[in-house]
Structure formats: C-alpha cells, structure tokens
Amino acid sequence: MNAAKNWLKKYVPDLNVTDQEFMDGMTLSGTKCEGYHAMDRNLEKIVVGQIEKIEKHPDADKLIVCQVNVGSETIQIVTGAPNVKEGDKVPVVLDGGKVAGGHDGSPLPEDGIAIKAGKLRGVESFGMMCSIEELGSDRNMYPEAPEDGIYIFPEDTKVGEDAVEVLGLHDTSFEFEVTSNRVDCYSITGIAREAAATFGVDFVPPVVNETGNGEKVEDYVSVEVQDPDLCPRYCARVVKNIKIAPSPQWMQRALASSGIRPINNLVDITNFIMEEYGQPMHAFDLDTVAGHKIIVRRGKDGEQFQTLDGQMRTLDSEVLMICDAEKEIGIAGIMGGENSKITDDVKNVLFEAATFNGVNIRKSAKRIGIRSDASGKFEKGLDPNNAEAAINRACQLIEELGCGEVVSGMIDVKEPIKPLVTLPFEPDFYNGLLGTDIDKDTMLSIFKKLEIAYDESTNMLTMPSFRQDLLGKADLAEEVARFFGYDKIPQTLPKGEATTGKLPFKLEVEKIASRVAMYYGFSQGMCYSFESPKVFDKLLIPEGDALRSAIKISNPLGEDFSIMRTTSLNGILSSLSTNYNRRNKDVRLFEIANVYRPKALPLTELPDERSTFTLGMYGEGDFFTLKGVLEQLFDELGITASRKYDPSNKKPFLHPGRQADIRCKDAVFGYIGEVHPMVCDAYDIGTRAYVAVIDLPVVLPFVTFDRKYEGIAKFPAVTRDLSMVVPKDVCVGNIEEMICQRGGKLLEELKLFDVYEGDQIKEGFKSVAYSLSFRDKEKTLEEKDVSGAMKKILNGLESIGIELRA
C-alpha cells in the first residue's frame, strides 16, 4: 500500500513530523513502513520560467537560444527541445541547481545532476529547461507531458513560482506492508487514522454531503441479488449527462503519488475512492445495460466472457457475475466487461459499490486467471458499511467537479448487517497479558483515538465497523500495546508453570547426564523398546526372575519385536556388538530411554515406565574408568551423600567378581560391572565390555542444583602419599570411607593412584596407594597438624586389617 504524505495530511492536518520520524513512528505502532521516496529528491533551484524570445543558434542547426523570464530576471538558455515556442511557461533549473535525472528516462543517479552555467557551441547558457523525466517522474504520472521535449505549464501559471511546488512534487510516498487482517489500512483514510493515533493528533475524515437532483434512482435502474451469500450488499446510484474531461490537477497529483495514472474525471473518481476509502467501485454505461436492470448471480459452467482487458475468460458456476436483463456485463469484484465499458460517448453512468464474499473472490480470481486491484481488496473481506459511504463520496465528487448530474437516492440491496462487536473493558487483563501497569484512563484515551466507543454504565467497548480484526480481549490488549509503545513495555519474566523459561527438573537431569557422557567420549544411541523373549536367555537371566515378566505386544511385527523391554542392556549390547564386528576399536555408547515393567500380568493398569541412563563401552578403559564417569555425573547433579559400591548382589549377566550395586543411603541408584564372558560370546563381542545402568527416578530425590560459592584457598595445601597392603576382600569404598571419617575437616581431597597385585605382594592381598591433600582454611598447616591427622587415619585402617606397605 502506497500513501503520499500530502494526501494523508488532508485528513491529519496537524501531522508535523519529518519523513524519517513518520516512518519510524508508524512502524513502531504496528503499521509497518517499508520505506519512503521523496519525490522532490535532488530537485533544487527550479522555477517557472516564460520564454520571451527564441533565436536560432549561430553555429548549430538543432539548437536554439531562448531568453527566459524567471521572475527576478531574464536569463539566456540554449536548448535543443523541439516543442517550445515563445510565450511557453516551462520549468527552469537555475545556475547551481539540480535535476533528478536525464531526459532519456535512464535510472536516476543517486545524487542527481548538477546544472552549471556554461557555453553550448560558443553561446552562453545560464540554466536548463526541463522535461518531466528530468524532474524524476514520467508521462504515466503526467500524461499531459510531451513524449519528447520540455514540460509546458498551463498559461495561468505564475512566472517565478517554485516549479516543484506547482507540479506537486514536494511530497513523499510511503510504502506500507499491510497485513491481510487490517483491510481498513488498504486505504488512505485507514492509514490516516493510524497516523493520527500514533502521533496524538486529530483525524479529520472527509465530509460527505447529500447529493441528487430530486429524481428517483428507482426510475432509472433496478437491482436483484440472487446469491446473497456471495454478495451481502449491493449499492447503486445513477449519474446522467456525463461530461468526460481531465480531472483537476489536485486529483491527478493525488493518484499519481499512489502510482495510479490519471485518465479522465470519471475513471479518476472511481480510482480516487478506491484509494481514499479502500472500496473498489465500478462504473457501467447505463445505456448498454439491457432493461436497465442489474442481476447478481452465479455464472454458468464453460461460458466465455470478455473482460475489459480484451481477454476471453472461461466461467463456472462458482464465479459471481454482474448481469443485466440479457447478458453478463462484469465479473463481480474482479473486472468489468468489454460490453459495458465507459467510452468518451457515455451519457449516463451506473455506479456500483458492493461487498462480496472475500473467499469466493480469491478463488474465482485464481481459477479465471486474473487478479486486479479490486479483487486484491475484496478478497480480504470489506466492511459492508463502507460501500454506502464510498458511493456517496463518489457522487459528491461528481457534482463538485461538474462531471454530471447525480440522480437522488440509492438502491441498496443487502442482507442484515452484523451488529458491531462489543467486548468488556478489562484493564487488569490487558496489563497482565502485556506485563505492564498502564492506568485505565490511558487505555480509554487510546481506544477513543481508535474510535472504539466506551459505555461507562455497562463497562462495554464497541468496536467500529471498519475494525473487523478486533474480536477478542487479546486484540484490545494489542491495541493498548501498539499505541502505549512497545518500546515502553518493561522486560518481565514469563508466568506459568509451562513457560518458566527452563527445562522441567527431570529433563534438566537428563540433559546433564547426556552432557557428562558426551564429555567422556560416549555417543548417544537409540535402541528399540520392542524386543524378543530370547533376550533373557542371552543375558543369562534365570527363570522366574522379575525381569522376565514382560508385556506382550498384541499385534507384533514378529517374534523379535513381540515384548516390551524390561531392561535396557540388550539394546546397548547389540549396538556394541555391531560396532565390534565392524572393526571399531574403542566404542562408548549411552542411551536415556524407558524400560517397561508391569505391575501385574495380565495388565490391569499402565506399567511402570522407568527412565534409565545406560552406559556401555569396550576398548580403552576398564571398570574404574566407567566408575569415574558415574562419579562425575553424581557430582554434577549435586549428590553430596556418600555412595557405596556393593559387590554382594550378584547379577547373572555381569562378571561375578567385577560388578557392584551403587547405593546411596537406603536407595539403589543402579549397577556397574564388566559383562559376563558368556554374555559377550552370546552377543559376539570378542573383548571385555563394561556397562552401567542408572535408575533415574531413584536418583532424582537426591539431586540438587543449589550451589554455594567458596572462595579460592588463601593457605597452601600439604600432601601425603599413603601406600597400603590390603586384604583382597576389602573394597576401595571401605578404605575411602575410613580415610574420610578419620581425616576430619583438614582432609581436602584423596585420590587413588595405584592398585597392584603381583609376586611382590603376599597372597590374598593387594597393594593400594592414595594421595591425600590437607588444608586449613584459617591458617597455614604445621607438621604436627598433618601428622596428627595421618595417625588417626592409620589407626583406623589397621582396625580393618590394612597394613602400611614397606
């Protein structure tokens, strides 16, 4: 949608802002402005001059020397224009001025063309007379301009005036991106309303006066609407004794600023109304309308009809047609027919302003293969009340411009118009939705500018008919936001459980588990939830074990997918097997997925779907490598309670001497271990493999993301290495528990750095070495402090059969 600033100011006379301020303000209030074009850009020092004398150039046959009166003086200009004569009034660029471009219509230069005094073939020239192209326009916008030559002003133009002003080029055309729900903004008055509300000034709509000669329009024409579902309103008026002539300069300039070429007064009026009101109109030659009767009905399948552009169109029964008593004369809302077009010989005109079904117009235009400016507006669904105002405004212009004699009255065939939308005034809802604290009076002042009426007694708001997009209270909140200012709305956090701006607790835990696994080189996999009953035999799970109580699929793809898995091991081991047999040397995989354990069989209720975190690996690394990954995970999850790795509960699918349950207080987090060699053989894995399975629902109650900052230690740490001979049946966990218990507050950290079994160690024992770090946060440790702590630790270790290694 293009709109010229001068045209807008007719309805918003107090609009005093720069072009950039206007574009920015309209965009911020929701009427997006794509850009603007100043029509007088690069036009400087151009006045109306009158040619007083013309002489031939002494040294050039195609040049003439003109003496031109520019008001303040008479200057000499040399030109080659073929169309000028003495007495003509022309646009003259004075010395030091600028024009927009060249006379050949080539693309306009960015900075225009500077004009300076000089000599042409030895004769001095102190300016230049301009063509319309040199002024940045063309003959489409100024049809009176010559095809090749200087633009000639009317005789009554005053010499010395600003030629750019006389031509109406001191104007700016703005290009708006209008969304389809704002059909009211496909008009100059619609944009003007928005501008008035945006800049806080008054909107002055066109004043429409009653017109007519006292005759009755019913004596000239009748209207019948056979398909009111496709045409809810049809307004018709008659104008007789038409006088075709050029429209006045102000109308031509207004249309030209919107990109519409002026043609004649009758056509220009219909185009002017379409731009001003956003209501397409059509004019029929009444003398070609058979029976002086209009019938609005559907077309006939396969029928041919010639439109105004001379093309034959194929109709169907879904296309709405405007017909007379004998034939079709127009395609409703799209284009008129060749058989009723306006010619220079027209005497009597029938004006049509109607409202058509927007969906039908859009579909019809697509099927027929034609899209016009009118159909582009009708297809968006026009306000039925707008048709009457538009046709009356057109008849007023007919009378004012002396274009014809308007017959009194209007034929108005319409369905009951829907009542205006009313909504309660709910300022608390608007503020709650927007996150604002706008007072009630400010909201009401915004609604008043938008012509939304407020009834204080009922606390109801009534929407204007042209705002068909205002249907709910959220729409009203948007209007408040637009004109209060989006830039003034403070930043607030979203409200509500589902929109707190972060992941749910369970998903956050799963995210951390994935991050830790990937940090240690594990790749995420996705395994099937449907498995084969043979899985239990491969995993050496004995008969009667609870894991064998699986849910059977009622319509499985086959036996291999006939039950729902109760353990995640089969999937991860199958993936490890695939990688091993494809010669991948070091493989680490993890999966976060559900296992399905029924509460009873046959099913009487939904099963227990437990989310499990499963890790599997072979190649570089061992049991303790995998244990380190789990310890990192528990630290990331903020689990501060001590954890034990209990080897007493034997699982058949794990190596009997290299497995452990992971316990924390009374809860079992899961298990870790080396895969049983027989299970590895069953899965065709020819190397040691390690797995860990964490039951996430058990872990969740122990997780916390609360963190307390501790400053960097100010005092140095003291380290001691401790090498021990330990009975094989004593677990590392028991050793660490004892060290931590006896080390007290001074013990900051302990690290296991060596486990050894060999000839140098007596039978039934192993060598275990730790590095201990001590630190006091309040002072520098002395030797006696560290020695005392070490003595307590050694005494505790001796109590469980551990000796210092010599």
Side-chain angles (χ1 to χ4, degrees), residues 627 630-631 634-635 638-646 661-670 698-699 702-704 732-741 750:
K627 177 175 176 285
L630 295 181
E631 286 299 304
F634 298 143
D635 288 343
I639 300 175
T640 57
S642 61
R643 298 171 292 277
K644 294 182 179 180
Y645 290 81
D646 180 9
D661 282 348
I662 306 167
R663 296 182 179 274
C664 184
K665 295 184 178 180
D666 296 330
V668 179
F669 283 1
V698 176
V699 174
F702 294 86
V703 176
T704 176
V732 169
N734 296 332
I735 299 173
E736 292 180 356
E737 184 179 8
M738 181 60 70
I739 294 174
C740 291
Q741 179 185 342
L750 72 159

Side-chain angles (χ1 to χ4, degrees), residues 71-327:
S72 59
E73 60 178 326
T74 298
I75 62 175
Q76 180 172 287
I77 297 176
V78 179
T79 181
N83 66 314
V84 294
K85 63 182 185 300
E86 292 181 356
D88 284 344
K89 295 179 179 179
V90 296
V92 176
V93 189
L94 302 178
D95 181 21
K98 270 187 180 182
V99 292
H103 68 279
D104 57 355
S106 57
L108 302 182
E110 184 69 22
D111 297 322
I113 299 174
I115 303 300
K116 296 182 179 179
K119 291 184 178 181
L120 289 177
R121 300 291 293 270
V123 177
E124 289 185 321
S125 181
F126 297 93
M128 185 181 81
M129 294 181 281
C130 304
S131 67
I132 200 63
E133 288 78 14
E134 288 165 329
L135 296 172
S137 191
D138 56 44
R139 295 185 66 247
N140 287 325
M141 300 300 103
Y142 294 86
E144 74 278 10
E147 185 173 352
D148 183 19
I150 303 301
Y151 183 84
I152 309 297
F153 285 112
E155 292 182 1
D156 58 352
T157 307
K158 185 178 179 181
V159 173
E161 283 193 337
D162 181 353
V164 179
E165 177 69 28
V166 174
L167 288 167
L169 290 174
H170 283 314
D171 199 358
T172 303
S173 178
F174 293 87
E175 181 182 357
F176 293 95
E177 179 186 331
V178 182
T179 54
S180 58
N181 66 318
R182 290 301 307 274
V183 66
D184 59 300
C185 286
Y186 284 93
S187 65
I188 298 295
T189 53
I191 297 291
R193 280 194 189 94
E194 291 289 302
T198 298
F199 296 101
V201 293
D202 292 334
F203 169 67
V204 183
V207 178
V208 181
N209 301 317
E210 185 177 349
T211 55
N213 60 2
E215 298 181 86
K216 294 182 179 180
V217 69
E218 291 82 4
D219 295 336
Y220 285 84
V221 70
S222 61
V223 176
E224 176 188 351
V225 178
Q226 296 183 0
D227 293 281
D229 58 320
L230 301 183
C231 178
R233 188 171 195 182
Y234 191 98
C235 300
R237 295 198 68 174
V238 172
V239 179
K240 64 180 187 177
N241 300 324
I242 291 292
K243 300 174 184 177
I244 298 294
S247 55
Q249 288 289 327
W250 66 266
M251 181 175 287
Q252 291 189 36
R253 300 297 176 253
L255 293 174
S257 67
S258 291
I260 299 175
R261 181 181 180 182
I263 297 175
N264 58 50
N265 50 5
L266 191 61
V267 175
D268 291 352
I269 286 172
T270 59
N271 285 335
F272 185 87
I273 295 300
M274 183 170 69
E275 292 299 301
E276 184 180 46
Y277 277 78
Q279 172 68 50
M281 291 183 57
H282 191 71
F284 298 101
D285 186 339
L286 184 59
D287 295 328
T288 64
V289 177
H292 286 192
K293 182 175 184 178
I294 293 294
I295 302 173
V296 184
R297 60 168 175 79
R298 296 173 186 264
K300 298 176 182 178
D301 289 331
E303 189 173 11
Q304 298 290 309
F305 179 72
Q306 187 176 22
T307 49
L308 277 172
D309 58 2
Q311 301 293 315
M312 296 300 297
R313 311 290 178 177
T314 302
L315 309 178
D316 60 47
S317 59
E318 293 301 316
V319 178
L320 190 66
M321 300 298 297
I322 308 297
C323 310
D324 61 19
E326 299 175 355
K327 61 186 181 299

Side-chain angles (χ1 to χ4, degrees), residues 310-354:
Q311 301 293 315
M312 296 300 297
R313 311 290 178 177
T314 302
L315 309 178
D316 60 47
S317 59
E318 293 301 316
V319 178
L320 190 66
M321 300 298 297
I322 308 297
C323 310
D324 61 19
E326 299 175 355
K327 61 186 181 299
E328 294 86 359
I329 58 174
I331 304 176
I334 300 177
M335 187 173 286
E338 182 73 18
N339 54 11
S340 62
K341 70 178 182 180
I342 300 295
T343 65
D344 292 341
D345 298 326
V346 65
K347 298 299 181 184
N348 303 300
V349 166
L350 168 66
F351 273 124
E352 163 198 284

Side-chain angles (χ1 to χ4, degrees), residues 661-681:
D661 282 348
I662 306 167
R663 296 182 179 274
C664 184
K665 295 184 178 180
D666 296 330
V668 179
F669 283 1
Y671 55 85
I672 180 175
E674 180 183 327
V675 180
H676 197 290
M678 292 178 63
V679 174
C680 281
D681 289 342

Side-chain angles (χ1 to χ4, degrees), residues 54-75:
I54 297 177
E55 297 176 337
K56 288 185 178 182
H57 192 288
D59 294 324
D61 293 337
K62 294 184 178 181
L63 296 179
I64 55 176
V65 181
C66 303
Q67 303 301 319
V68 183
N69 177 10
V70 294
S72 59
E73 60 178 326
T74 298
I75 62 175

Side-chain angles (χ1 to χ4, degrees), residues 157 320 372 394 397 402 414-415 467 487 700 702 772 775:
T157 307
L320 190 66
S372 60
L397 291 174
K414 62 182 179 180
E415 291 293 289
R467 288 301 302 273
D487 54 325
L700 288 177
F702 294 86
L772 308 182
R775 191 194 305 267

